[in-house]
Amino acid sequence: MRAVIAEDSVLLRIGVVKVLEMAGFEVAAQVEDGEALLAAVAEHRPDIAVVDVRMPPDFTDEGVRAATVIRRRWPDTAVLLLSQYVEERYATDLLAANTSKIGYLLKQRVADVEEFADSVRRVAAGGTALDPQVVSQLLLRRHSGPLDRLTRREHEVLELMASGRSNAGIAAGLVISDSAVAKHINNIFAKLDLPKADADHRRVLAVLRFLDVV
Amino acid sequence: MSWGFTVVPMPFALHPPESLRRPFREAGRSTAFVAAGLPPHLVAVALWVWLVGLAVVVPGFAPLPAALLIVSAGVLTAVQRWRYRTLRGPGALQVPPRTGRPALRHPIQWLRSPGAWRQIAYHGLVGPLLAPVEAAVLVLWAAGFAAASIYVWIWALPPEQRLTQVGYTTQAAYITAGGLALTAVMPWLTGRVARLEAGVANVLLGQTRAERLQRRVEDLTESRAGVVDAADAERRRIERDLHDGAQQRLVALAVNLGIARATLTDLSAEARRVIDDAHTEAKQAVAELNDLVRGLHPAVLDDRGLDAALSGVAARAPIPVRLSVDLATRPPATAEAVAYFTVSEALTNVVKHARASKAEVTVERRGGTLVVVIADDGVGGAGPSGGTGLAGLAKRAASVDGTFTCHSPLGGPTVITVELPCAP
């Protein structure tokens, strides 16, 4: 698996490269802005591009704009966005067309090396990785309604499910058994009246659709 | 016949100490000031003479000099202000702020202003009274000098014009003494006259108390806005510095420790535990630094505005928070900052003290006001004296001319309302 990385902070870039290599990726290119990222993706056609949202020259949303172009022009390349803070609109814009091969994580998650490596692999393999903070901000937007009927535990499971985790991932995150996770997920789908979905990213889609995101 | 001058170094005579020079300089300055007042004050005297003369001869023409006085009031005021500025120092006459040249461009408006009639009163009434006083001061100075130097005059005058009375030298001695005494008193007298004039001018030509207060309010408003902006800018700068420096470094450190933890599997249990602890500590430091930066001035607030910044705050709160931000356009940066910190701090309070199960935050614009309401279903009893930071929030709101109200009866619920002016 090959990756390119676009990140203007040298220290963080070195860290991300190390984690990617540890996760078994070959880092084909390291660039510092959106233009160079598009050129690198065109040249290397990587499996995944890890992209900082804020980059030169304007330090606003260069990364998001580059990601939109990548998803349109090179749909085989997955995109994992890294950001200093969560702006749900970036997530919703990117997820609108397609919830597979996309990730949106806070920069500080890179420090949880193994989990970050899992997220990168998952996104590169066609999955989704949304930061828990993204999901909780999306849930915040959804006023009243069926969400209030969920128990606290079901809320937690919903957040992790929406962030793209598999059942095993959710079980590990909450330190409960796989069967308990399956039970909670069934309850959530029943309470929110969602259609059954087995593949992880289709499940994300279902939840996000419920949250009015897509 | 030729005069030969020898310049003898006389340090004391040429450079007398400051304590000796100052009284002379001050007397000179006061006299120049009083003398400079005479011409503009005499203008009014001339107009009065004209007025009275006309009134006797042709009563119908009386308004003419009065009109001339009114027309020339603006010029005379300018002359007087120049006189005070150059001869008494820049602060001697508190002049109202200049707004174009209203006296020339909008004569009717100018006449309606209270300042105009005070000026006219000064030039028309006070001026003619001050002119004789000023003239008297100058005459007394001249008399003092002339009398003190009477022997010089006696010596300089040709013998046939000298006084021929017997005993004139004795009289001359008295005259000299009187002249010296008068010259000694004159600086004090001139100073008194100058102070009297300045007092009158400040009442009639200077700004009124209302004008002075208005100007002070304007100055204070401006300087306070500057201070608030500077504080905001400083917070932003610190946020950027931390983000570019310490934050990145700490994340890199945590990443490295994480990689060490994940890859160095053949170390002793002890060494692995140390790496594990260091990794946890580093991540915690990253989280704490993030919290600190959020408390300063989060980048998301500048980049994306209140909605995005507040949804982050609300989502991090451990209790469910309903957030509704309804803003068509972004308010001014300072109002945004105050609103952000109010919500952030109020929610922290709700979590810490209110024992609430949920909270609700609404932000909207009503006319030219940004209204922020934070409500919870907790136990109430919150007040500015409880050490809950509410007093700080009230001050912060007041710093941008906003209002802060906290309605929190015992038993709850608590509703905090902040209204911030934001020109649309």
Side-chain angles (χ1 to χ4, degrees), chain A residues 26-178:
Chain A
E26 176 205 333
V27 177
Q30 306 177 26
V31 297
E32 294 191 2
D33 61 66
E35 295 274 310
L37 170 66
L38 293 181
V41 171
E43 185 190 339
H44 299 289
R45 299 296 178 85
D47 298 287
I48 188 166
V50 180
V51 182
D52 185 4
V53 168
R54 243 160 81 121
M55 283 189 294
D58 297 327
F59 295 97
T60 54
D61 58 352
E62 289 78 7
V64 179
R65 280 186 271 134
T68 314
V69 175
I70 293 173
R71 275 168 83 67
R72 201 178 54 236
R73 245 193 261 170
W74 301 284
D76 290 342
T77 296
V79 178
L80 174 61
L81 281 165
L82 295 179
S83 177
Q84 180 73 14
Y85 52 79
V86 166
E87 162 63 288
E88 309 105 83
R89 212 166 335 134
Y90 294 159
T92 55
D93 285 355
L94 286 165
L95 292 164
N98 186 355
T99 55
S100 70
K101 284 180 180 284
I102 187 76
Y104 184 48
L105 295 176
L106 286 174
K107 281 185 178 180
Q108 69 210 58
R109 309 289 180 211
V110 184
D112 290 311
V113 174
E114 284 115 327
E115 273 185 46
F116 180 71
D118 277 350
S119 301
V120 180
R121 283 197 213 100
R122 190 164 76 230
V123 173
T128 318
L130 287 185
D131 200 280
Q133 179 75 26
V134 177
V135 180
S136 49
Q137 285 187 216
L138 289 174
L139 286 173
L140 185 81
R141 297 292 179 189
R142 176 77 192 203
H143 296 331
S144 72
L147 274 179
D148 289 347
R149 294 205 296 269
L150 299 184
T151 64
R152 202 182 178 89
R153 185 57 104 183
E154 284 163 357
H155 243 282
E156 289 168 353
V157 172
L158 176 70
E159 289 194 15
L160 291 175
M161 188 166 67
S163 72
R165 298 248 197 136
S166 64
N167 283 17
I170 297 170
L174 296 175
V175 204
I176 52 176
S177 69
D178 280 14

Side-chain angles (χ1 to χ4, degrees), chain A residues 7 9 11-12 14-16 18-19 22 54 59-61 84-90 107-108 110-114 133 136-137 140-145 148 152, chain B residues 240 243 245 247-249 251-252 254-256 258-259 261-263 279 283 286-287 290 299-300 303-304 307-308 310-312 314-316 318 321-325:
Chain A
E7 163 67 66
S9 157
L11 283 171
L12 192 66
I14 295 170
V16 173
K18 281 186 196 157
V19 178
M22 192 194 84
R54 243 160 81 121
F59 295 97
T60 54
D61 58 352
Q84 180 73 14
Y85 52 79
V86 166
E87 162 63 288
E88 309 105 83
R89 212 166 335 134
Y90 294 159
K107 281 185 178 180
Q108 69 210 58
V110 184
D112 290 311
V113 174
E114 284 115 327
Q133 179 75 26
S136 49
Q137 285 187 216
L140 185 81
R141 297 292 179 189
R142 176 77 192 203
H143 296 331
S144 72
D148 289 347
R152 202 182 178 89
Chain B
R240 262 197 308 275
H243 171 250
Q247 252 179 335
Q248 309 281 355
R249 234 165 248 284
V251 170
V255 168
N256 281 333
I259 290 170
R261 196 183 74 150
T263 52
H279 182 230
K283 284 197 297 183
V286 170
N290 280 342
V300 61
D303 292 356
R304 312 295 307 174
D307 192 13
L310 288 182
S311 73
R316 271 188 299 272
V321 177
R322 269 183 201 161
L323 174 70
S324 133
V325 180

